[in-house]
Amino acid sequence: MAIRPVAQIGHPVLRTPTREVTVDELSSEEVQALIDDMIETMRNADGAGIAANQVFESLRIAAIEVADNRRYPYKPPIPLTVIVNPTWRALDEETVTINEGCLSVPLRGDLQRHVTIEVSFLDREGIAHAEIHRGLTAGTFQHEIDHLDGNLIVDRIDPRTLATWEQFEIHQRDDFVRRIAEFVRDS
Ligand code: ZN
């Protein structure tokens, strides 16, 4: 396993829609090693998820995990989940305002995410799954699948809420954490 460099906003690989992986490719040593490296890179950077194009591989694969995350201490835990060729759909019209950051973007800000979604994907063994997710966890899945489509949080963020991580900590964090804790408790 190896930590790979993470592409930063402005690099075209983040703006190029990734291509689907065949089951044969998925079982190859190269792709399995890529998945191991994505997991290690995500954990090393305290990310809640990482998409393959963030480590310069334009394949429709992402990894998600939240466990005592220092960058996002308010997020409910998500077990390690590798999603290959994922698609999602909203199960209703409800949306929530979430303040998101990204390993590829130096700023964070408020954006809208669907609250209840169904995600369909293959796992790293090629087995198909369909899962329903809600709240911040649903937002994390939407964030990673956005990456795979060549989209970034800045496309969705209300520009007047953009902040560095340092300024967010000082001026916005307490209000956001209070609001989102209520949302997590009620949802
Ligand atoms: Zn991201």
Side-chain angles (χ1 to χ4, degrees), residues 14-162:
L14 295 172
R15 290 307 194 176
T16 307
T18 55
R19 72 165 175 83
E20 291 201 348
V21 181
T22 66
V23 174
D24 276 353
E25 276 181 307
L26 179 57
S27 64
S28 71
E29 261 179 48
E30 291 79 1
V31 171
Q32 290 294 316
L34 165 66
I35 292 170
D36 287 339
D37 289 355
M38 287 168 58
I39 294 166
E40 188 167 1
T41 304
M42 168 179 69
R43 288 175 172 167
N44 175 257
D46 284 317
I50 196 164
N53 48 339
Q54 287 184 279
V55 294
F56 301 94
E57 295 285 347
S58 197
L59 298 174
R60 199 165 175 83
I61 303 172
I64 290 171
E65 182 181 48
V66 176
D68 288 331
N69 189 289
R70 273 187 295 153
R71 273 164 67 93
Y72 305 104
Y74 47 82
K75 276 187 188 251
I78 306 174
L80 176 64
T81 307
V82 173
I83 56 174
V84 178
N85 302 339
T87 59
W88 68 273
R89 66 189 179 94
L91 294 182
D92 60 34
E93 298 302 307
E94 187 185 2
T95 61
V96 59
T97 302
I98 301 177
N99 187 287
E100 287 189 13
C102 177
L103 297 177
S104 296
V105 178
L107 301 175
R108 53 186 296 164
D110 288 352
L111 47 70
Q112 299 288 313
R113 294 291 188 195
H114 285 278
V115 172
T116 309
I117 65 169
E118 182 180 60
V119 187
S120 301
F121 60 91
L122 304 180
D123 64 24
R124 65 184 297 175
E125 318 296 337
I127 296 164
H129 298 259
E131 298 177 349
I132 292 171
H133 291 290
R134 285 184 50 78
L136 290 179
T137 299
T140 301
F141 277 87
Q142 289 165 74
H143 179 120
E144 297 313 322
I145 297 172
D146 263 353
H147 274 299
L148 300 175
D149 293 331
N151 299 323
L152 291 170
I153 53 172
V154 290
D155 310 346
R156 302 191 187 282
I157 286 175
D158 170 356
R160 292 186 62 88
T161 66
L162 282 167

